[in-house]
Amino acid sequence: MSDTMKLIIRNAEVLHPDGHIEKGDVGIAEGKIKAITSQIPDQGEEEIDGTGLTLLPGVIDPQVHFREPGLEHKEDLFTATCACARGGVTSFLEMPNTRPPTIDQAAMDDKLKRASEKCLVNYGFFVGATGDNLEALESVNPACGIKIFMGSAHGALLVSEEETLEPIFANGKRLIAVHAEDQARIVQRKKQFQGATDPATHSQIQDNQAALNATKLALKLSKRYQRRLHILHLSTGDEAELLREDKPSWVTTEVTPQHLLLNSEAYENIGTLAQMNPPLRSRWDNETLWKALLDGVIDFIATDHAPHTLEEKGKGYPHAPSGMPGVETSLALMLTQAKAGRCSVSQVSYWMSTAPAKAYNIPNKGAIALNYDADLVLVDLNTYSPVRREDILSKCGWSPFEGWSLTGWAQTTIVGGQVVYHQGKVNSEIRGKALQFNAG
Ligand code: DOR
């Protein structure tokens, strides 16, 4: 071992790409993993004692809303990525519904510049479809994919009609990620439920059928043009059952921890804080989504981190905006499920790191392997501590999971070989890098 390691993590339970976990040392130099072995003989410039802790690849969160530019009173790229660092999230893919929206090269360039100045972790951005920016959807660079809001959006980013959707599927090769809800059905049902002030009505208006209709339409168009499709935040058992029967090899899907772990009973306890799009569903949906995830019908996990202030959420239904934060709690939530026997630690890591890297063709990330980027998280799977409002680093300052006792909290988060979070402290000097996306 002649090279001096910049950083060595000693004696951690290391998750290997084949899923086995074994005690050892991991050495990092030039931002990359340079040694994975039972014991590195030489001293590193910096060392972290991983005894009793588990070393996983950093989480890649493939669906977040970080609000900058234009909505910085809810979140900005700095506060959001402090929250990422605390949550073990080392890379994210962000959605285009900022102000202005990310629908052309100028908006993408602006986001990338802001990200290079403010992001503590690695970043990538979607280009948003508007129905009349077909050319930009292929030319804007770099972009991890095209985002289409088929429903639950306002203004230019809402593309709900089949005749407007079809040319997007027909032209170009990029991954298309859809928010699949049937806008016409939502509009019609809103009228039916006019005057309702119970937040639980949200799940009735934007019901399972609304999600299923849109998922069917996206699948139909994807099959017609054999177009790479990703269905964002699958929320219903109905969609999971459909995909179990009919999922072409070029289609992927994801689920959020909220749709796995919360259901419409949550409105009773946390009211509009439980309001998101697509909405929370029933226990049956939770169970059916879990089964689909475990069986590989659902490919990976995203948080749909969509912060709103408590003041905005306090407006009550139907005036409160939809969305919940997620990057700070997602890994601990899922590892707590693993410890409870619902799945394994290596499955959690596959769903939260390996599979998103693969789906979005992000090279050298999502595994602890030689010459991979040193994006890592050291978690403590032995102790439990609660989600507390006062600990939240997201600017919104709340979590739908407050009071939940979780294990697997990040102790140390490393981005490109640099320690960005360690035992409760964020190193706000660290900056991530723009993610690369290889051709599919
Ligand atoms: O609940 C949601 N809120 N779902 C989305 O897809 C968008 C998001 C937001 O931006 O607030």
Side-chain angles (χ1 to χ4, degrees):
M1 204 77 46
S2 53
D3 293 349
T4 308
M5 295 294 170
K6 188 116 186 44
L7 175 64
I8 295 175
I9 299 149
R10 295 272 184 203
N11 206 31
E13 300 291 332
V14 180
L15 175 68
H16 291 257
D18 66 1
H20 89 279
I21 293 177
E22 197 179 322
K23 200 185 287 296
D25 294 353
V26 170
I28 297 165
E30 287 149 15
K32 303 216 176 276
I33 298 167
K34 292 291 181 189
I36 309 166
T37 175
S38 57
Q39 197 177 13
I40 299 172
D42 302 333
Q43 184 74 18
E45 280 179 35
E46 196 186 334
E47 302 216 347
I48 291 174
D49 182 10
T51 305
L53 303 175
T54 303
L55 188 67
L56 305 174
V59 170
I60 300 173
D61 190 334
Q63 192 198 166
V64 300
H65 303 263
F66 281 173
R67 309 301 191 203
E68 181 172 350
L71 297 159
E72 289 94 338
H73 68 284
K74 298 175 194 278
E75 188 81 282
D76 62 51
L77 290 169
F78 179 75
T79 56
T81 54
C82 287
C84 285
R86 177 170 178 244
V89 175
T90 53
S91 298
F92 66 83
L93 305 179
E94 206 252 2
M95 288 298 165
N97 57 333
T98 41
R99 292 192 193 153
T102 324
I103 55 175
D104 54 27
Q105 190 64 52
M108 180 62 82
D109 289 345
D110 176 54
K111 252 191 191 177
L112 287 163
K113 181 167 182 296
R114 288 165 182 272
S116 71
E117 289 163 3
K118 297 176 82 170
C119 282
L120 280 66
V121 305
N122 306 310
Y123 44 88
F125 299 103
F126 282 88
V127 57
T130 65
D132 63 2
N133 69 340
L134 260 189
E135 198 270 325
L137 295 182
E138 283 306 301
S139 68
V140 168
N141 262 313
C144 54
I146 297 165
K147 166 69 182 281
I148 306 180
F149 283 91
M150 297 173 73
S152 282
H154 308 282
L157 285 175
L158 178 66
V159 185
S160 56
E161 303 296 325
E162 183 167 350
E163 58 268 31
T164 325
L165 290 163
E166 180 149 8
I168 304 174
F169 280 82
N171 292 284
K173 287 202 169 64
R174 265 191 179 153
L175 176 150
I176 295 176
V178 292
H179 178 130
E181 286 191 277
D182 175 352
Q183 186 68 11
R185 183 174 172 89
I186 293 172
V187 169
Q188 177 225 323
R189 288 176 71 77
K190 263 195 184 143
K191 285 188 196 136
Q192 240 170 285
F193 287 87
Q194 210 159 26
T197 56
D198 177 355
T201 319
H202 188 62
S203 297
Q204 291 173 271
I205 294 174
Q206 301 188 201
D207 64 353
N208 284 33
Q209 192 64 46
L212 185 63
N213 291 352
T215 286
K216 278 187 178 162
L217 174 56
L219 262 183
K220 181 177 87 173
L221 292 171
S222 164
K223 283 200 264 186
R224 186 171 295 160
Y225 298 102
Q226 302 211 350
R227 181 65 185 261
R228 175 78 178 92
L229 171 68
H230 178 67
I231 303 164
L232 297 158
H233 44 39
L234 208 74
S235 62
T236 71
D238 308 84
E239 292 162 285
E241 288 187 344
L242 170 74
L243 290 170
R244 184 181 291 280
E245 295 307 315
D246 182 17
K247 185 168 173 248
S249 58
W250 59 87
V251 175
T252 51
T253 189
E254 67 186 29
V255 66
T256 69
Q258 303 89 289
H259 289 112
L260 291 171
L261 300 173
L262 299 176
N263 53 55
S264 50
E265 291 164 31
Y267 295 115
E268 279 167 39
N269 295 325
I270 59 170
T272 57
L273 299 187
Q275 185 190 323
M276 71 173 293
N277 296 329
L280 299 179
R281 311 292 186 187
S282 68
R283 274 173 192 260
W284 174 79
D285 294 288
N286 294 148
E287 294 312 308
T288 313
L289 290 167
W290 262 113
K291 189 161 184 348
L293 180 64
L294 288 164
D295 292 347
V297 175
I298 296 176
D299 299 270
F300 51 86
I301 287 171
T303 65
D304 191 20
H305 179 93
H308 299 284
T309 65
L310 281 168
E311 194 188 336
E312 290 164 332
K313 283 290 195 181
K315 287 179 183 162
Y317 193 76
H319 307 293
S322 294
M324 310 175 188
V327 292
E328 249 163 302
T329 49
S330 56
L331 181 60
L333 282 165
M334 293 306 297
L335 289 172
T336 301
Q337 293 296 309
K339 284 293 274 192
R342 187 117 221 202
C343 55
S344 68
V345 169
S346 73
Q347 279 175 311
V348 169
S349 181
Y350 179 79
W351 297 326
M352 299 188 78
S353 303
T354 314
K358 185 167 152 236
Y360 285 95
N361 291 305
I362 304 170
N364 301 320
K365 292 199 189 288
I368 301 178
L370 285 181
N371 293 318
Y372 268 49
D373 295 335
D375 296 342
L376 299 163
V377 58
L378 202 49
V379 300
D380 176 2
L381 287 165
N382 306 308
T383 59
Y384 285 74
S385 55
V387 179
R388 299 188 313 176
R389 186 169 283 191
E390 57 267 38
D391 298 332
I392 299 289
L393 297 181
S394 166
K395 200 186 274 186
C396 73
W398 59 276
S399 162
F401 298 103
E402 282 166 35
W404 287 44
S405 181
L406 304 182
T407 189
W409 288 102
Q411 296 303 302
T412 307
T413 305
I414 297 165
V415 173
Q418 306 191 83
V419 177
V420 68
Y421 176 86
H422 187 58
Q423 294 176 351
K425 287 206 175 64
V426 172
N427 181 350
S428 58
E429 303 299 309
I430 304 299
R431 291 294 172 269
K433 288 192 178 139
L435 293 168
Q436 312 287 312
F437 306 104
N438 283 345

